[in-house]
Amino acid sequence: MNLLPDSDIVTLLSGATLAVKLVLLFLACMSLWSWTIIFYKFLSIGVARRKVAQGYDAFVDAHDLTSGLKALGGRDASPLARVGALAVKEFRLLERAEVNRERKRMLAKDTLRRVLKQGISKEMRSLTRNLPFLATCANAAPFIGLFGTVWGIMHSFHSIGQQQSAALATVAPGISEALVATAIGLLVAIPATIFYNYFLGKLNEVESGMVDFAGAFLNRAEREIAWAEKAKAKN
Amino acid sequence: MRHFFGFIASFFFHCALVAVALFWATGTPVRVNMDRPVYTVDLVSLAPPPPPAPVEKVPAASEVKPVSQPESAAPVEVKGDPEPVKPVVKPEPEKKAKKISPKKDEKKKVVKRKEKPKPEPKPKPKPKPKPKPKPGKTEKQLLAEGLKAAQKKVAAQERRQKRKLADELAALRKNESGVYAHGGQQDGREGGVQGGSGISGSGLSEVYALIVGTAIKKNWRYPSFAGEANIVASVEIVLASDGRILEYKVVAPSGNAVFDNSALQAIKQTEYVERPRTERDRVLVINFNSQELSE
């Protein structure tokens, strides 16, 4: 362990030109924010995935629609509960609507499908929010680092011109600045890329879980509603 | 809430990363210090180190100014040399040789050399010095006489030895033909000469000459297609103590006036070179070789 303050990185950073320092600062902010998103998404997507899987099983195992919805828990408990609640709310609205009963039956299927779709996309939207920033980091950070590189090398050549010497000592500081900028750019981009892809995979899982749930919900609703309608009709 | 947690986690993650970068990654022991001066070693033109104490020079007349001399690295080096032989020369050393230990002798020689760039070997002084020391012992005549005789003997021996050495040195020098050992080859490179004929010499002076030559040649422009011709011009320059080039003249024209002028032009444009460390370094001879252009 070398605790001396003249460590390479400090020396490099203090010797860097303003442009390179700004680039590095910018990259540091990007890194901070992208890791914020990574930690946050890691939690939220993981939780959502688990709840979707559990909720789907519970819903399928339930006897009927109502108990299935109850098994999903409260509104805040699971994304599936929110989707189911939306659908139930829409169904209640449809029930109260001043429409002919036959027509209602026809409408119910399409309406429920649309509502479930909207619910899913709403959930997905909230889960994917901020992910584009990761994608941006993954793509832009290397280029921003590259900008620092180019700037550092420009600076080196400038030094060569000024000092009329191509000695390694003249060129080296600029080149090391440049390399640091590139390295940090990659350091930002690599985790962003990896986690962006990881999250995309997980989100696909979540989405397909929710689509499964929507299918199951729709099936069950059609069955039970048809029965209800018929019962109502009989009455 | 989760967002906040994510931010905190990210913040600590970065702190940890920076800490690792600062304290752990720097543990590598091997570091290159870019501030150090760069030494250029020219393997081809660098002659073997010159004889430690060059020598000949100055007559006894110039006394000792060891004290006044600004200490330069060169003299020290020479002193340090364990050379038994004072390569060169002759006279002066003898004068004081008897009284003084060999070390001092060397010192004096060196000093003198610096002051007077004139390479005139004078054997004369020898005889004089001897007598001086002796007179002091007049009180005991007998003893003095005996001593004198013994001293004479010793002196004669020394003289013989020195002459022998001087001859050898002269022979060697002939080969080198008077240019600084460092780029001393006639065909090339820069070399400093004292007063023209003496070899002088420590490695540091050579390096200084090399530095000055390199600085001047940066400004040297001459069509490089002339490189095949292999023509050489030697230019003597006189430097001020601050490194300004005071005078310059062609001492060995190449025969090609344009070539000579290009060399003079380069010196004129240079104006300042690195400050000479010693008086001796103030007169240098730079060889301009057309071969260098094609390198």
Side-chain angles (χ1 to χ4, degrees), chain B residues 41-90:
Chain B
V41 178
D42 194 337
L43 292 178
V44 177
S45 66
L46 204 60
V55 184
E56 2 186 306
K57 315 269 117 141
V58 196
S62 69
E63 276 60 314
V64 199
K65 274 143 200 183
V67 179
S68 66
Q69 272 313 36
E71 273 301 308
S72 70
V76 175
E77 249 185 22
V78 176
K79 273 183 230 158
D81 272 346
E83 285 278 321
V85 199
K86 274 14 240 266
V88 186
V89 197
K90 345 219 137 192

Side-chain angles (χ1 to χ4, degrees), chain A residues 1-3 6-10 28 31-33 35-36 39-40 43-44 47 130 164 168-169 172 187, chain B residues 2-3 5-7 9-11 13-14 17 21-28 31 34-36 38 218:
Chain A
M1 292 277 274
N2 176 11
L3 300 181
D6 69 335
S7 58
D8 287 334
I9 290 179
V10 173
S31 177
L32 194 68
W33 190 240
W35 275 95
T36 301
F39 284 121
Y40 165 60
L43 283 179
S44 63
V47 168
N130 290 332
Q164 306 210 324
L168 192 57
L187 221 60
Chain B
R2 267 190 207 144
H3 232 108
F5 169 78
F7 182 77
S10 170
F11 183 76
F13 175 76
H14 283 83
L17 212 67
L22 285 185
F23 299 133
W24 184 61
T26 55
T28 52
R31 302 218 356 240
M34 290 299 185
D35 299 336
R36 287 210 190 131
V38 177
K218 263 183 206 153

Side-chain angles (χ1 to χ4, degrees), chain B residues 121-132:
Chain B
K122 274 145 204 184
K124 291 171 199 165
K126 276 185 202 164
K128 276 183 197 169
K130 276 183 207 162
K132 276 180 200 165

Side-chain angles (χ1 to χ4, degrees), chain A residues 178-223:
Chain A
L179 294 181
V180 166
T182 312
I184 293 188
L186 290 177
L187 221 60
V188 175
I190 290 170
T193 313
I194 291 174
F195 281 100
Y196 180 72
N197 287 323
Y198 174 80
F199 291 144
L200 275 193
K202 292 296 165 197
L203 281 174
N204 269 340
E205 263 180 59
V206 172
E207 190 173 15
S208 69
M210 288 202 287
V211 169
D212 288 351
F213 166 78
F217 183 92
L218 209 55
N219 287 346
R220 178 157 281 184
E222 272 181 5
R223 245 184 288 134

Side-chain angles (χ1 to χ4, degrees), chain B:
Chain B
M1 188 60 204
R2 267 190 207 144
H3 232 108
F4 182 70
F5 169 78
F7 182 77
I8 295 295
S10 170
F11 183 76
F12 282 113
F13 175 76
H14 283 83
C15 288
L17 212 67
V18 169
V20 167
L22 285 185
F23 299 133
W24 184 61
T26 55
T28 52
V30 180
R31 302 218 356 240
V32 178
N33 186 357
M34 290 299 185
D35 299 336
R36 287 210 190 131
V38 177
Y39 296 105
T40 310
V41 178
D42 194 337
L43 292 178
V44 177
S45 66
L46 204 60
V55 184
E56 2 186 306
K57 315 269 117 141
V58 196
S62 69
E63 276 60 314
V64 199
K65 274 143 200 183
V67 179
S68 66
Q69 272 313 36
E71 273 301 308
S72 70
V76 175
E77 249 185 22
V78 176
K79 273 183 230 158
D81 272 346
E83 285 278 321
V85 199
K86 274 14 240 266
V88 186
V89 197
K90 345 219 137 192
E92 315 178 329
E94 252 127 49
K95 168 193 175 191
K96 264 145 202 184
K98 282 155 211 159
K99 284 179 193 168
I100 312 171
S101 70
K103 250 194 201 167
K104 273 188 183 172
D105 200 350
E106 279 178 59
K107 202 185 191 177
K108 268 181 224 160
K109 274 184 223 161
V110 174
V111 173
K112 280 168 201 166
R113 204 203 316 145
K114 274 186 227 149
E115 287 159 11
K116 298 221 169 168
K118 279 149 204 173
E120 293 150 30
K122 274 145 204 184
K124 291 171 199 165
K126 276 185 202 164
K128 276 183 197 169
K130 276 183 207 162
K132 276 180 200 165
K134 271 43 203 271
K137 282 156 193 171
T138 47
E139 291 169 341
K140 301 159 195 175
Q141 292 178 347
L142 282 178
L143 266 178
E145 274 173 26
L147 245 164
K148 255 185 205 172
Q151 277 177 339
K152 256 183 204 169
K153 223 191 223 172
V154 173
Q157 244 173 8
E158 270 182 14
R159 224 174 299 151
R160 233 175 293 139
Q161 217 174 343
K162 282 190 179 159
R163 210 163 291 152
K164 202 174 155 191
L165 278 173
D167 286 348
E168 276 174 27
L169 236 159
L172 276 175
R173 206 169 310 136
K174 242 179 218 167
N175 293 340
E176 291 189 351
S177 74
V179 190
Y180 249 179
H182 149 68
Q185 295 84 339
Q186 268 305 45
D187 58 333
R189 315 288 153 164
E190 54 280 349
V193 183
Q194 223 165 338
S197 70
I199 310 186
S200 56
S202 62
L204 286 180
S205 295
E206 291 165 26
V207 171
Y208 177 69
L210 176 64
I211 289 169
V212 171
T214 308
I216 288 173
K217 281 168 189 171
K218 263 183 206 153
N219 295 322
W220 189 26
R221 311 270 180 279
Y222 190 73
S224 62
F225 54 75
E228 299 297 319
N230 192 17
I231 46 182
V232 183
S234 295
V235 181
E236 183 182 286
I237 60 173
V238 179
L239 302 174
S241 56
D242 63 349
R244 193 154 55 87
I245 298 175
L246 295 177
E247 302 170 20
Y248 47 90
K249 61 180 182 212
V250 177
V251 290
S254 62
N256 180 339
V258 178
F259 185 80
D260 292 353
N261 281 336
S262 74
L264 294 179
Q265 192 65 26
I267 297 173
K268 190 178 170 190
Q269 280 181 9
T270 306
E271 288 184 49
Y272 280 92
V273 295
E274 191 155 316
R275 202 166 49 78
R277 300 176 322 277
T278 64
E279 287 296 303
R280 197 159 50 97
D281 286 338
R282 288 181 49 184
V283 179
L284 298 172
V285 170
I286 311 288
N287 288 335
F288 289 81
N289 187 334
S290 59
Q291 292 289 348
E292 290 173 63
L293 289 168
S294 53
E295 278 169 9

